[in-house]
Amino acid sequence: MIPDKAPKEDVFHGSEDLKKEAHITSFENYKELYMKSIENPDEFWGDVAKDFFWKTKHTGQFLDYNFDVTKGEIFVKCMEGASTNISYNLLDRNVHERKLGDKVAFYWEGNEPGDELTVTYRELLQRVCQFANVLKSQGVKKGDRVSIYMPMVVELVVAMLACARIGAVHSIVFAGFSAESLCERIMDSQCSLLITADGFYRGDKLINLKLLADEALQKCRDKGFPIEKCIMLKHLSKEAEETSLGSQSPPAKRSCPDLQEKQTGRVKKTRPVPQVPWNPEVDLCWHALVRGASDECEPEWCGSEDPLFILYTSGSTGKPKGVLHTVSGYMLYTAATFKLVFDYQLDDVYWCTADIGWITGHSYITYGPLANGATSVLFEGLPTYPDVSRMWEIVDKYHVTKFYTAPTAIRLLMKYGSEPVQKYKRESLKVLGTVGEPINPEAWQWYYNVVGERRCPIVDTFWQTETGGHVLTPLPAATPMKPGSATFPFFGVVPAILNESGEELEGPSEGYLVFKQPWPGVMRTVYGNHQRFETTYFKKFPGYYVTGDGCRRDKDGYYWITGRIDDMLNVSGHLLSTAEVESALVEHEAVAEAAVVGRPHPVKGESLYCFVTLADGVTYNRTLEAELKKQVREKIGAIATPDYIQNAPALPKTRSGKIMRRVLRKIACDERDLGDISTLADSSVVEQLFQNRCCTAV
Ligand code: PRX
């Protein structure tokens, strides 16, 4: 359990100034509230719910659940019987009740310095209403699934909140995913409409998103799942004001007529724009549709447990899981975690560098900040473009007070030393955060000493797509920090550490990280496959939600995530399943079998090391290596590009034919201490693999 007193040694603190304004000011204060949150969750979350608008009140228990598969179906229900609308709470309530209409919701900062836009809460409300009306006019109804494949632009937020406004379920696919991945996700969630953009730049690289979207839709058609509508935003190309393009009057040409122009509305730099293929039977122009739409739209009042969104995360079988979150619990949880973990104050300028295509962006760019009426920076670009000072330039430009990024970005920037950071003042910064993977103490220290100048606490937030929001995390003014530890549970969260036999370990210990009871933001099911939900998270240890992460608790009760203990890899904070990459590799005709393991990487956390056994008669060479790399990129996306590919004439297998990945991990790292390998069918394979190791990344 949580200690009564915080330790005094080997810990770090934020500045005293922060304590003066903080919501939770001391460790004692945290502990007291934490006890209330688990002893009386109804009262704790009931207080949070008072800040929101409910069309009808809840009737049953505040949080009702079964976490034990031996007792029947797993379920979690929060505020059953209540009805509300999340976009109403994020927008109308802030504009009309809280009088925040003129407050900036987003400072959009484009890939290119100088590309910028400011959007107030009032403008965001109008744009969401307009687009909600567009969706309705295209026949989208409550409960329908809408796929969104867009770059980091304000319209992405508009599209997701427009879905929420009419009760449609958004399924955002990260714009770095391939056409194949998009197709798989569209089909799994049976989406009726796709929203995309012409393209975008990542640094100097043009991503022709519409081409990929078209390819995905063609694949859907080929597999018997035709999508009839695709709305395209012109982000790079000139906006549609002067064009004849419209849903009613499709252009005669096969390409969008005004897309060849070089200069654009908000993207100032003159750059080549993508050649956008245009299919008048399917494609609709965002701008033309919006132009005629009313900016008022009565929200659809949704039940608390109605679905809000589906977001896919890698699954250990290789097929991504559609994690489903519902309206009320997710709203309360993202709002409360945002407020308390970043110690949000009304005059803050907050910046989360994640992409909205991941859960971090859903919860901590869109839903949590807007629920609090916060001002955020929405950044389209890269930390290294046009140079490695970009982040700190933006911090100074907008006077960012709370900054949230990933360990992989910190490690990347750390390589360039402190000079690019110190070129900028960063005086506005008050709280720093990290997410996505364990942060090594060296990177933590650099973040704390160089970026935050020893003044800013670091909230190392552990959570998952499935948890909806932070579950283990420091509170900036209350929790003494230990570099590399996500410290203690958030309110309402009860962690435990189990051994292999499922026994709860007390005191300092190491084992499986599990949670004993739900919190409002936990996922409700795997879309279309409740059984998979139960098997993945609840079967191994009945009565507990199993995170899949290993964890250590130290003598002071601090939790330290040790990494995944299933067949998952964490590359730059993004989860990939080994099975997913393996199946992409074996789809190549030259590959008979593949096994993929993680190898530690100084910036990305882990890199992909792939062992491939070739089909009879095929010889290994650089051309094949390049083809395999391309194959994985095309099947999954650039994040899954293999770093190493090794020709493996045979793989180390047990007598029952199971690949011993533990041994492969050692080979990848050139570690000879293999432990017990007596169960291997043929141990000579191991020596052969050591001799053929790849030493350089492909
Ligand atoms: O392994 C943990 C790691 O990221 C996994 C969740 O990945 P995903 O669902 O993609 O969500 C990432 C953003 C919330 C976890 O199971 N992870 C996330 N945050 C941390 C972490 N590992 C250690 N420390 C963290 N702070």
Side-chain angles (χ1 to χ4, degrees):
M1 248 311 141
I2 297 170
D4 288 332
K5 290 221 172 334
K8 296 226 168 348
E9 284 166 19
D10 303 326
V11 290
F12 291 77
H13 298 271
S15 71
E16 281 302 313
D17 278 357
L18 194 77
K19 281 201 188 340
K20 288 188 202 134
E21 62 176 15
H23 298 292
I24 314 278
T25 52
S26 67
F27 193 73
E28 291 69 29
N29 195 191
Y30 156 68
K31 169 131 196 197
E32 196 183 313
L33 213 56
Y34 176 77
M35 294 316 290
K36 176 178 165 186
S37 76
I38 50 171
E39 280 158 11
N40 196 344
D42 289 14
E43 195 184 319
F44 182 88
W45 294 110
D47 284 346
V48 175
K50 283 184 193 146
D51 279 345
F52 295 94
F53 174 80
W54 305 95
K55 185 75 175 169
T56 55
K57 303 265 175 263
H58 73 281
T59 41
Q61 244 175 295
F62 200 91
L63 204 58
D64 189 12
Y65 69 97
N66 172 39
F67 251 28
D68 189 344
V69 268
T70 63
K71 297 198 175 129
E73 190 167 295
I74 301 292
F75 72 88
V76 177
K77 288 178 181 165
C78 181
M79 299 186 76
E80 262 243 300
S83 60
T84 188
N85 181 284
I86 198 165
S87 96
Y88 182 90
N89 275 295
L90 270 48
L91 301 173
D92 309 57
R93 186 184 56 108
N94 280 326
V95 172
H96 301 306
E97 280 169 42
R98 302 179 70 205
K99 309 290 176 221
L100 298 177
D102 295 325
K103 192 176 179 191
V104 173
F106 290 109
Y107 290 115
W108 179 76
E109 173 80 11
N111 175 65
E112 206 59 51
D115 288 347
E116 58 193 32
L117 282 175
T118 297
V119 183
T120 65
Y121 273 85
R122 182 173 297 104
E123 287 161 350
L124 191 59
L125 170 60
Q126 285 168 347
R127 297 187 65 179
V128 166
C129 286
Q130 272 185 328
F131 200 67
N133 286 324
V134 165
L135 291 176
K136 284 209 267 189
S137 72
Q138 295 305 318
V140 180
K141 302 178 303 303
K142 182 168 188 267
D144 287 352
R145 276 81 53 217
V146 172
S147 191
I148 305 179
Y149 187 55
M150 290 177 92
M152 284 284 284
V153 290
V154 173
E155 286 82 354
L156 170 52
V157 179
V158 170
M160 66 203 289
L161 293 183
C163 288
R165 194 160 190 94
I166 63 170
V169 181
H170 60 73
S171 167
I172 302 182
V173 179
F174 170 55
F177 274 124
S178 65
E180 177 91 28
S181 296
L182 175 61
C183 160
E184 186 178 19
R185 285 157 177 76
I186 288 174
M187 289 184 58
D188 187 77
S189 50
Q190 306 265 296
C191 290
S192 56
L193 184 139
L194 172 66
I195 306 169
T196 190
D198 47 1
F200 63 101
Y201 275 90
R202 271 184 76 71
D204 274 326
K205 192 168 173 223
L206 171 66
I207 312 290
N208 196 336
L209 204 61
K210 177 65 164 46
L211 260 187
L212 292 169
D214 280 0
E215 209 183 299
L217 294 187
Q218 187 55 48
K219 284 177 194 287
C220 290
R221 256 171 242 128
D222 294 347
K223 292 178 185 175
F225 186 80
I227 282 211
E228 276 145 30
K229 290 182 173 145
C230 173
I231 300 180
M232 187 197 80
L233 173 85
K234 295 180 191 174
H235 171 47
L236 292 180
S237 42
K238 197 170 167 67
E239 286 196 16
E241 269 88 274
E242 314 80 5
T243 170
S244 63
L245 253 187
S247 53
Q248 309 306 319
S249 53
K253 291 195 242 171
R254 296 293 296 176
S255 75
C256 207
D258 60 340
L259 289 180
Q260 321 304 337
E261 300 190 21
K262 294 264 158 92
Q263 186 55 322
T264 67
R266 55 187 160 189
V267 178
K268 294 193 191 113
K269 188 169 170 183
T270 301
R271 293 191 118 165
V273 297
Q275 294 294 314
V276 176
W278 195 256
N279 176 356
E281 275 146 41
V282 177
D283 294 333
L284 299 158
C285 174
W286 172 295
H287 311 273
L289 293 173
V290 159
R291 219 179 303 130
S294 157
D295 61 8
E296 282 179 24
C297 176
E298 175 68 11
E300 179 79 36
W301 300 108
C302 301
S304 274
E305 285 301 325
D306 282 350
L308 174 64
F309 68 83
I310 299 166
L311 182 60
Y312 285 86
T313 186
S314 295
S316 50
T317 58
K319 186 175 151 48
K321 304 180 288 258
V323 170
L324 186 112
H325 285 284
T326 53
V327 174
S328 297
Y330 180 80
M331 176 170 78
L332 297 183
Y333 201 68
T334 51
T337 45
F338 176 77
K339 177 174 167 183
L340 300 177
V341 173
F342 299 109
D343 193 50
Y344 169 68
Q345 306 290 335
L346 214 61
D347 57 355
D348 271 334
V349 177
Y350 160 85
W351 181 19
C352 166
T353 68
D355 193 290
I356 292 180
W358 305 106
I359 191 67
T360 306
H362 279 60
S363 300
Y364 299 113
I365 295 181
T366 301
Y367 288 105
L370 293 177
N372 281 277
T375 295
S376 299
V377 175
L378 180 63
F379 179 45
E380 186 194 21
L382 295 173
T384 49
Y385 181 84
D387 61 51
V388 293
S389 286
R390 184 76 191 275
M391 302 269 234
W392 323 118
E393 184 194 335
I394 296 174
V395 165
D396 278 7
K397 177 173 175 184
Y398 297 105
H399 306 287
V400 172
T401 51
K402 313 279 161 84
F403 178 73
Y404 193 29
T405 196
T408 186
I410 299 166
R411 288 192 295 261
L412 173 70
L413 297 177
M414 204 172 116
K415 285 203 312 189
Y416 299 92
S418 49
E419 196 263 334
V421 186
Q422 286 160 350
K423 261 170 62 185
Y424 292 90
K425 291 204 185 89
R426 292 156 289 113
E427 285 167 335
S428 52
L429 288 175
K430 292 183 182 170
V431 174
L432 302 174
T434 85
V435 58
E437 56 189 305
I439 179 162
N440 46 313
E442 197 197 350
W444 193 99
Q445 294 281 2
W446 187 81
Y447 199 27
Y448 183 71
N449 293 325
V450 179
V451 176
E453 296 183 331
R454 308 184 70 78
R455 168 182 90 241
C456 308
I458 296 178
V459 286
D460 175 354
T461 60
F462 166 83
W463 59 295
Q464 307 176 300
T465 305
E466 294 88 335
T467 68
H470 310 138
V471 280
L472 298 180
T473 176
L475 299 181
T479 317
M481 299 159 291
K482 295 193 184 192
S485 167
T487 73
F488 297 106
F490 187 74
F491 302 111
V493 174
V494 186
I497 296 184
L498 305 185
N499 64 16
E500 191 57 54
S501 334
E503 290 152 354
E504 274 189 39
L505 303 173
E506 301 294 332
S509 44
E510 187 164 344
Y512 292 86
L513 176 67
V514 298
F515 294 112
K516 295 168 75 158
Q517 61 186 51
W519 53 95
V522 69
M523 72 184 285
R524 299 301 198 258
T525 191
V526 169
Y527 183 77
N529 198 342
H530 197 68
Q531 202 185 346
R532 187 166 180 207
F533 171 61
E534 297 189 334
T535 314
T536 312
Y537 306 101
F538 296 94
K539 212 157 181 187
K540 187 169 174 73
F541 299 120
Y544 301 95
Y545 166 89
V546 181
T547 59
D549 284 293
C551 185
R552 179 169 71 81
R553 189 170 41 217
D554 71 12
K555 63 177 185 3
D556 298 319
Y558 280 64
Y559 290 88
W560 302 72
I561 304 298
T562 54
R564 300 294 306 184
I565 38 186
D566 48 16
D567 288 337
M568 304 290 257
L569 298 163
N570 195 325
V571 179
S572 298
H574 303 309
L575 277 193
L576 290 169
S577 82
T578 52
E580 200 176 359
V581 183
E582 286 160 9
S583 80
L585 286 167
V586 294
E587 272 182 46
H588 193 288
E589 57 186 11
V591 178
E593 195 169 19
V596 176
V597 294
R599 177 186 148 136
H601 185 280
V603 173
K604 299 200 281 187
E606 278 188 297
S607 54
L608 290 176
Y609 196 112
C610 311
F611 295 87
V612 292
T613 305
L614 300 181
D616 270 355
V618 180
T619 33
Y620 194 82
N621 56 34
R622 290 279 159 195
T623 316
L624 176 60
E625 198 168 83
E627 267 179 41
L628 294 179
K629 211 172 143 184
K630 185 159 163 271
Q631 167 100 356
V632 181
R633 285 175 76 101
E634 282 177 5
K635 291 274 164 202
I636 306 173
I639 45 164
T641 309
D643 296 87
Y644 302 87
I645 300 181
Q646 176 171 345
N647 180 16
L651 291 166
K653 292 186 181 169
T654 59
R655 282 182 195 89
S656 59
K658 201 169 171 332
I659 298 171
M660 281 181 86
R661 285 166 202 286
R662 175 173 68 74
V663 171
L664 290 176
R665 271 192 284 272
K666 293 280 185 184
I667 296 169
C669 300
D670 203 12
E671 284 171 15
R672 294 270 170 171
D673 167 24
L674 295 178
D676 179 15
I677 53 165
S678 59
T679 52
L680 275 183
D682 175 5
S683 57
S684 69
V685 168
V686 175
E687 191 44 46
Q688 199 181 27
L689 290 176
F690 266 117
Q691 276 169 20
N692 296 338
R693 277 188 73 253
C694 318
C695 302
T696 49
V698 291

